[in-house]
PDB file of all heavy atoms in Angstrom:
ATOM      1  N   ALA M   2       2.098  33.098 -30.663  1.00  0.00           N
ATOM      2  CA  ALA M   2       2.741  34.256 -30.026  1.00  0.00           C
ATOM      3  C   ALA M   2       1.909  35.518 -30.216  1.00  0.00           C
ATOM      4  O   ALA M   2       1.367  35.770 -31.296  1.00  0.00           O
ATOM      5  CB  ALA M   2       4.142  34.452 -30.599  1.00  0.00           C
ATOM      6  N   GLU M   3       1.813  36.303 -29.145  1.00  0.00           N
ATOM      7  CA  GLU M   3       1.027  37.534 -29.175  1.00  0.00           C
ATOM      8  C   GLU M   3       1.835  38.702 -28.631  1.00  0.00           C
ATOM      9  O   GLU M   3       2.795  38.515 -27.882  1.00  0.00           O
ATOM     10  CB  GLU M   3      -0.249  37.370 -28.335  1.00  0.00           C
ATOM     11  CG  GLU M   3      -1.193  36.298 -28.858  1.00  0.00           C
ATOM     12  CD  GLU M   3      -2.426  36.159 -28.005  1.00  0.00           C
ATOM     13  OE1 GLU M   3      -2.399  36.606 -26.833  1.00  0.00           O
ATOM     14  OE2 GLU M   3      -3.423  35.610 -28.496  1.00  0.00           O
ATOM     15  N   ALA M   4       1.430  39.902 -28.991  1.00  0.00           N
ATOM     16  CA  ALA M   4       2.118  41.108 -28.533  1.00  0.00           C
ATOM     17  C   ALA M   4       1.646  41.446 -27.141  1.00  0.00           C
ATOM     18  O   ALA M   4       0.716  42.209 -26.965  1.00  0.00           O
ATOM     19  CB  ALA M   4       1.832  42.269 -29.479  1.00  0.00           C
ATOM     20  N   GLY M   5       2.330  40.747 -26.154  1.00  0.00           N
ATOM     21  CA  GLY M   5       1.769  41.063 -24.880  1.00  0.00           C
ATOM     22  C   GLY M   5       2.346  40.691 -23.576  1.00  0.00           C
ATOM     23  O   GLY M   5       2.827  41.574 -22.920  1.00  0.00           O
ATOM     24  N   ASP M   6       2.261  39.468 -23.147  1.00  0.00           N
ATOM     25  CA  ASP M   6       2.436  39.153 -21.732  1.00  0.00           C
ATOM     26  C   ASP M   6       3.899  39.050 -21.334  1.00  0.00           C
ATOM     27  O   ASP M   6       4.489  37.975 -21.292  1.00  0.00           O
ATOM     28  CB  ASP M   6       1.709  37.854 -21.388  1.00  0.00           C
ATOM     29  CG  ASP M   6       1.443  37.743 -19.890  1.00  0.00           C
ATOM     30  OD1 ASP M   6       2.114  38.459 -19.124  1.00  0.00           O
ATOM     31  OD2 ASP M   6       0.574  36.948 -19.496  1.00  0.00           O
ATOM     32  N   TYR M   7       4.499  40.193 -20.995  1.00  0.00           N
ATOM     33  CA  TYR M   7       5.901  40.222 -20.590  1.00  0.00           C
ATOM     34  C   TYR M   7       6.107  39.585 -19.219  1.00  0.00           C
ATOM     35  O   TYR M   7       7.172  39.036 -18.938  1.00  0.00           O
ATOM     36  CB  TYR M   7       6.427  41.667 -20.602  1.00  0.00           C
ATOM     37  CG  TYR M   7       6.649  42.176 -22.000  1.00  0.00           C
ATOM     38  CD1 TYR M   7       5.605  42.752 -22.723  1.00  0.00           C
ATOM     39  CD2 TYR M   7       7.894  42.068 -22.612  1.00  0.00           C
ATOM     40  CE1 TYR M   7       5.800  43.202 -24.017  1.00  0.00           C
ATOM     41  CE2 TYR M   7       8.102  42.521 -23.901  1.00  0.00           C
ATOM     42  CZ  TYR M   7       7.050  43.090 -24.604  1.00  0.00           C
ATOM     43  OH  TYR M   7       7.248  43.527 -25.893  1.00  0.00           O
ATOM     44  N   LEU M   8       5.096  39.652 -18.374  1.00  0.00           N
ATOM     45  CA  LEU M   8       5.222  39.060 -17.047  1.00  0.00           C
ATOM     46  C   LEU M   8       5.318  37.533 -17.163  1.00  0.00           C
ATOM     47  O   LEU M   8       6.153  36.900 -16.501  1.00  0.00           O
ATOM     48  CB  LEU M   8       4.032  39.454 -16.171  1.00  0.00           C
ATOM     49  CG  LEU M   8       4.213  39.258 -14.658  1.00  0.00           C
ATOM     50  CD1 LEU M   8       5.351  40.114 -14.142  1.00  0.00           C
ATOM     51  CD2 LEU M   8       2.927  39.594 -13.930  1.00  0.00           C
ATOM     52  N   ALA M   9       4.514  36.939 -18.007  1.00  0.00           N
ATOM     53  CA  ALA M   9       4.586  35.489 -18.232  1.00  0.00           C
ATOM     54  C   ALA M   9       5.927  35.114 -18.840  1.00  0.00           C
ATOM     55  O   ALA M   9       6.512  34.077 -18.497  1.00  0.00           O
ATOM     56  CB  ALA M   9       3.452  35.040 -19.143  1.00  0.00           C
ATOM     57  N   ALA M  10       6.425  35.972 -19.728  1.00  0.00           N
ATOM     58  CA  ALA M  10       7.725  35.725 -20.344  1.00  0.00           C
ATOM     59  C   ALA M  10       8.831  35.752 -19.290  1.00  0.00           C
ATOM     60  O   ALA M  10       9.731  34.899 -19.285  1.00  0.00           O
ATOM     61  CB  ALA M  10       7.996  36.770 -21.419  1.00  0.00           C
ATOM     62  N   ALA M  11       8.759  36.719 -18.386  1.00  0.00           N
ATOM     63  CA  ALA M  11       9.772  36.824 -17.331  1.00  0.00           C
ATOM     64  C   ALA M  11       9.710  35.643 -16.375  1.00  0.00           C
ATOM     65  O   ALA M  11      10.733  35.199 -15.852  1.00  0.00           O
ATOM     66  CB  ALA M  11       9.586  38.138 -16.567  1.00  0.00           C
ATOM     67  N   LYS M  12       8.527  35.105 -16.143  1.00  0.00           N
ATOM     68  CA  LYS M  12       8.383  33.938 -15.270  1.00  0.00           C
ATOM     69  C   LYS M  12       9.011  32.698 -15.891  1.00  0.00           C
ATOM     70  O   LYS M  12       9.599  31.866 -15.194  1.00  0.00           O
ATOM     71  CB  LYS M  12       6.904  33.675 -14.974  1.00  0.00           C
ATOM     72  CG  LYS M  12       6.259  34.677 -14.038  1.00  0.00           C
ATOM     73  CD  LYS M  12       4.782  34.357 -13.810  1.00  0.00           C
ATOM     74  CE  LYS M  12       4.146  35.349 -12.851  1.00  0.00           C
ATOM     75  NZ  LYS M  12       2.690  35.068 -12.642  1.00  0.00           N
ATOM     76  N   ALA M  13       8.914  32.569 -17.205  1.00  0.00           N
ATOM     77  CA  ALA M  13       9.418  31.374 -17.882  1.00  0.00           C
ATOM     78  C   ALA M  13      10.930  31.259 -17.822  1.00  0.00           C
ATOM     79  O   ALA M  13      11.473  30.153 -17.949  1.00  0.00           O
ATOM     80  CB  ALA M  13       8.950  31.365 -19.340  1.00  0.00           C
ATOM     81  N   ILE M  14      11.640  32.368 -17.617  1.00  0.00           N
ATOM     82  CA  ILE M  14      13.103  32.322 -17.617  1.00  0.00           C
ATOM     83  C   ILE M  14      13.693  32.300 -16.205  1.00  0.00           C
ATOM     84  O   ILE M  14      14.899  32.358 -16.029  1.00  0.00           O
ATOM     85  CB  ILE M  14      13.700  33.488 -18.432  1.00  0.00           C
ATOM     86  CG1 ILE M  14      13.402  34.844 -17.773  1.00  0.00           C
ATOM     87  CG2 ILE M  14      13.180  33.454 -19.862  1.00  0.00           C
ATOM     88  CD1 ILE M  14      14.068  36.028 -18.474  1.00  0.00           C
ATOM     89  N   MET M  15      12.840  32.189 -15.180  1.00  0.00           N
ATOM     90  CA  MET M  15      13.313  32.187 -13.796  1.00  0.00           C
ATOM     91  C   MET M  15      13.958  30.853 -13.422  1.00  0.00           C
ATOM     92  O   MET M  15      13.585  29.804 -13.927  1.00  0.00           O
ATOM     93  CB  MET M  15      12.148  32.481 -12.846  1.00  0.00           C
ATOM     94  CG  MET M  15      11.632  33.906 -12.922  1.00  0.00           C
ATOM     95  SD  MET M  15      10.000  34.141 -12.145  1.00  0.00           S
ATOM     96  CE  MET M  15      10.327  33.639 -10.456  1.00  0.00           C
ATOM     97  N   THR M  16      14.954  30.928 -12.524  1.00  0.00           N
ATOM     98  CA  THR M  16      15.509  29.711 -11.904  1.00  0.00           C
ATOM     99  C   THR M  16      15.281  29.823 -10.397  1.00  0.00           C
ATOM    100  O   THR M  16      14.210  29.506  -9.911  1.00  0.00           O
ATOM    101  CB  THR M  16      16.996  29.517 -12.258  1.00  0.00           C
ATOM    102  OG1 THR M  16      17.718  30.714 -11.974  1.00  0.00           O
ATOM    103  CG2 THR M  16      17.155  29.155 -13.731  1.00  0.00           C
ATOM    104  N   THR M  17      16.260  30.322  -9.657  1.00  0.00           N
ATOM    105  CA  THR M  17      16.057  30.505  -8.214  1.00  0.00           C
ATOM    106  C   THR M  17      15.431  31.860  -7.891  1.00  0.00           C
ATOM    107  O   THR M  17      15.298  32.210  -6.719  1.00  0.00           O
ATOM    108  CB  THR M  17      17.385  30.352  -7.442  1.00  0.00           C
ATOM    109  OG1 THR M  17      18.331  31.309  -7.926  1.00  0.00           O
ATOM    110  CG2 THR M  17      17.948  28.945  -7.595  1.00  0.00           C
ATOM    111  N   ASP M  18      15.068  32.611  -8.898  1.00  0.00           N
ATOM    112  CA  ASP M  18      14.374  33.886  -8.692  1.00  0.00           C
ATOM    113  C   ASP M  18      13.086  33.653  -7.903  1.00  0.00           C
ATOM    114  O   ASP M  18      12.430  32.619  -8.060  1.00  0.00           O
ATOM    115  CB  ASP M  18      13.998  34.512 -10.034  1.00  0.00           C
ATOM    116  CG  ASP M  18      15.170  34.684 -10.968  1.00  0.00           C
ATOM    117  OD1 ASP M  18      15.782  33.670 -11.366  1.00  0.00           O
ATOM    118  OD2 ASP M  18      15.468  35.830 -11.303  1.00  0.00           O
ATOM    119  N   THR M  19      12.720  34.628  -7.100  1.00  0.00           N
ATOM    120  CA  THR M  19      11.471  34.515  -6.347  1.00  0.00           C
ATOM    121  C   THR M  19      10.356  35.362  -6.942  1.00  0.00           C
ATOM    122  O   THR M  19       9.199  35.242  -6.532  1.00  0.00           O
ATOM    123  CB  THR M  19      11.664  34.924  -4.872  1.00  0.00           C
ATOM    124  OG1 THR M  19      11.876  36.345  -4.788  1.00  0.00           O
ATOM    125  CG2 THR M  19      12.842  34.188  -4.244  1.00  0.00           C
ATOM    126  N   PHE M  20      10.695  36.226  -7.898  1.00  0.00           N
ATOM    127  CA  PHE M  20       9.666  37.017  -8.573  1.00  0.00           C
ATOM    128  C   PHE M  20      10.150  37.393  -9.972  1.00  0.00           C
ATOM    129  O   PHE M  20      11.355  37.528 -10.210  1.00  0.00           O
ATOM    130  CB  PHE M  20       9.299  38.282  -7.770  1.00  0.00           C
ATOM    131  CG  PHE M  20      10.433  39.255  -7.572  1.00  0.00           C
ATOM    132  CD1 PHE M  20      10.688  40.264  -8.502  1.00  0.00           C
ATOM    133  CD2 PHE M  20      11.232  39.189  -6.433  1.00  0.00           C
ATOM    134  CE1 PHE M  20      11.719  41.167  -8.312  1.00  0.00           C
ATOM    135  CE2 PHE M  20      12.269  40.093  -6.229  1.00  0.00           C
ATOM    136  CZ  PHE M  20      12.514  41.085  -7.181  1.00  0.00           C
ATOM    137  N   PRO M  21       9.213  37.550 -10.917  1.00  0.00           N
ATOM    138  CA  PRO M  21       9.590  37.967 -12.273  1.00  0.00           C
ATOM    139  C   PRO M  21       9.981  39.434 -12.272  1.00  0.00           C
ATOM    140  O   PRO M  21       9.409  40.242 -11.534  1.00  0.00           O
ATOM    141  CB  PRO M  21       8.323  37.723 -13.089  1.00  0.00           C
ATOM    142  CG  PRO M  21       7.212  37.830 -12.088  1.00  0.00           C
ATOM    143  CD  PRO M  21       7.774  37.299 -10.794  1.00  0.00           C
ATOM    144  N   LYS M  22      10.939  39.783 -13.114  1.00  0.00           N
ATOM    145  CA  LYS M  22      11.486  41.139 -13.127  1.00  0.00           C
ATOM    146  C   LYS M  22      11.195  41.808 -14.463  1.00  0.00           C
ATOM    147  O   LYS M  22      11.695  41.372 -15.500  1.00  0.00           O
ATOM    148  CB  LYS M  22      12.994  41.077 -12.866  1.00  0.00           C
ATOM    149  CG  LYS M  22      13.324  40.417 -11.529  1.00  0.00           C
ATOM    150  CD  LYS M  22      14.779  40.002 -11.451  1.00  0.00           C
ATOM    151  CE  LYS M  22      15.061  39.274 -10.148  1.00  0.00           C
ATOM    152  NZ  LYS M  22      14.304  37.989 -10.036  1.00  0.00           N
ATOM    153  N   VAL M  23      10.386  42.844 -14.437  1.00  0.00           N
ATOM    154  CA  VAL M  23      10.020  43.576 -15.648  1.00  0.00           C
ATOM    155  C   VAL M  23      10.093  45.073 -15.371  1.00  0.00           C
ATOM    156  O   VAL M  23       9.973  45.524 -14.227  1.00  0.00           O
ATOM    157  CB  VAL M  23       8.602  43.215 -16.145  1.00  0.00           C
ATOM    158  CG1 VAL M  23       8.546  41.762 -16.612  1.00  0.00           C
ATOM    159  CG2 VAL M  23       7.555  43.473 -15.069  1.00  0.00           C
ATOM    160  N   ALA M  24      10.300  45.844 -16.431  1.00  0.00           N
ATOM    161  CA  ALA M  24      10.335  47.306 -16.320  1.00  0.00           C
ATOM    162  C   ALA M  24       9.962  47.894 -17.667  1.00  0.00           C
ATOM    163  O   ALA M  24      10.144  47.260 -18.716  1.00  0.00           O
ATOM    164  CB  ALA M  24      11.719  47.788 -15.892  1.00  0.00           C
ATOM    165  N   THR M  25       9.438  49.110 -17.652  1.00  0.00           N
ATOM    166  CA  THR M  25       9.021  49.754 -18.897  1.00  0.00           C
ATOM    167  C   THR M  25       9.189  51.261 -18.800  1.00  0.00           C
ATOM    168  O   THR M  25       9.203  51.833 -17.696  1.00  0.00           O
ATOM    169  CB  THR M  25       7.550  49.409 -19.226  1.00  0.00           C
ATOM    170  OG1 THR M  25       7.211  49.930 -20.520  1.00  0.00           O
ATOM    171  CG2 THR M  25       6.594  49.971 -18.180  1.00  0.00           C
TER     172      THR M  25
END
């Protein structure tokens, strides 16, 4: 685990989502 890839994390929890959802 590294301090970093939130986009990859958001992709891993998708089901019928069509895009990963992140905000900062």
Side-chain angles (χ1 to χ4, degrees):
E3 297 180 341
D6 200 341
Y7 286 86
L8 197 62
K12 288 179 179 179
I14 66 175
M15 290 165 60
T16 52
T17 58
D18 305 63
T19 70
F20 62 89
K22 301 164 183 64
V23 294
T25 186

